[in-house]
Amino acid sequence: MTQEEMLARVLHRDGLMIVIDKPAGLPVHKGPKGGECLEASFDALRFGLPRAPALAHRLDRETSGCLVLGRHRKALAHLGLLFKHGEVKKTYWAVVEGGPEQDEGTIDLPLGRLDETRGWWMKPDPNGLPSVSTWRVLGRGATPGAPAAPLTWLALSPLTGRTHQLRVHCAARGFPILGDNIYGRGPRFGGPGLHLHAREIVVPLSKSKPPVRVTAPVPPHLAAALTACGWRGEAAAPDAQP
């Protein structure tokens, strides 16, 4: 990613943190096999500081949207505590296949690692770590050109921070996220891409000031499915916070 492309993805900047709009399909850091990653372009975001910002949390390779960076060590330590204690509120938009019958609810389902050979892949596990997510229906529709294939637009909030939590929770409840090729029915290669977007993040940076609220615009690969579920564009988007 060029310096100009990275700068164009800055959604918020202050003395402590930067929030960028992460593109889908690009990992945030290098894996064991190396390759291109978002972190390699962070030097473009120094804005006069001696060091590049660093990741305060993670997003999956295929997930787009709000990604928080700490601008220096003290900021990273502060942000780390906020994330650790669940004080950062995160709202994701997802389009799922099928969908829940109710309009809102909670998924309380412990998660554990699938096995040692699958790296970060997870599974429901009664002996796993506590994992809780809330969901709210924002719209319902059908796959464009396939009216018999229902879709649902959800606002999802992970109350815990497990790897692949929202993807596993949705799949386990019978409404996998559209395009999920690990836990859902998305093709292994090609296909529509994972329809999961970190839409909004709310960070209480200061006790004396209102929390910082940042929203990431809908990426192009989600637009058609969201429109089929009633989304009318950014100007008419409903409140994303469950």
Side-chain angles (χ1 to χ4, degrees):
M1 187 175 293
T2 67
Q3 180 175 350
E4 291 74 20
E5 289 171 334
M6 178 58 79
L7 290 173
R9 289 191 166 272
V10 174
L11 300 172
H12 170 85
R13 173 168 63 97
D14 58 38
L16 295 179
M17 72 174 185
I18 294 172
V19 182
I20 62 172
D21 182 11
K22 178 194 172 296
L26 185 64
V28 294
H29 52 76
K30 288 184 179 180
K33 298 181 180 179
E36 186 180 4
C37 69
L38 197 64
E39 197 173 34
S41 301
F42 286 174
D43 193 61
L45 304 177
R46 289 190 296 119
F47 293 105
L49 294 185
R51 297 180 181 178
L55 294 162
H57 66 132
R58 302 287 191 273
L59 289 178
D60 293 348
R61 172 197 291 264
E62 301 304 330
T63 302
S64 58
C66 293
L67 181 67
V68 178
L69 314 177
R71 298 197 65 194
H72 46 75
R73 291 179 181 176
K74 186 176 180 180
L76 274 172
H78 180 51
L79 289 165
L81 289 174
L82 293 177
F83 277 100
K84 180 180 179 180
H85 295 296
E87 296 183 45
V88 177
K89 307 303 179 185
K90 296 172 282 187
T91 299
Y92 292 73
W93 279 7
V95 178
V96 300
E97 300 181 49
E101 294 182 3
Q102 298 80 15
D103 288 334
E104 60 182 17
T106 300
I107 301 172
D108 188 347
L109 184 65
L111 301 179
R113 184 172 295 187
L114 182 62
D115 58 52
E116 293 301 323
T117 67
R118 292 293 186 177
W120 295 103
W121 291 18
M122 307 295 282
K123 66 177 181 179
D125 183 350
N127 298 315
L129 295 172
S131 306
V132 183
S133 307
T134 65
W135 54 266
R136 179 166 64 92
V137 173
L138 297 179
R140 299 180 189 270
T143 302
L151 299 174
T152 304
W153 168 22
L154 297 179
L156 298 161
S157 288
L159 304 187
T160 50
R162 311 304 173 209
T163 301
H164 292 176
Q165 177 175 314
L166 297 177
R167 298 169 67 175
V168 180
H169 275 178
C170 287
R173 288 294 181 260
F175 42 91
I177 297 174
L178 183 65
D180 192 338
N181 60 14
I182 296 178
Y183 307 102
R185 292 182 282 269
R188 192 70 183 93
F189 300 101
L194 183 69
H195 280 52
L196 181 63
H197 178 61
R199 173 64 172 178
E200 183 181 80
I201 197 156
V202 182
V203 186
L205 276 180
S206 172
K207 294 181 179 180
S208 60
K209 297 180 181 179
V212 177
R213 183 183 300 267
V214 184
T215 301
V218 168
H221 74 283
L222 263 71
L226 284 174
T227 300
C229 293
W231 181 60
R232 297 180 181 178
E234 295 293 349
D239 183 6
Q241 188 68 29

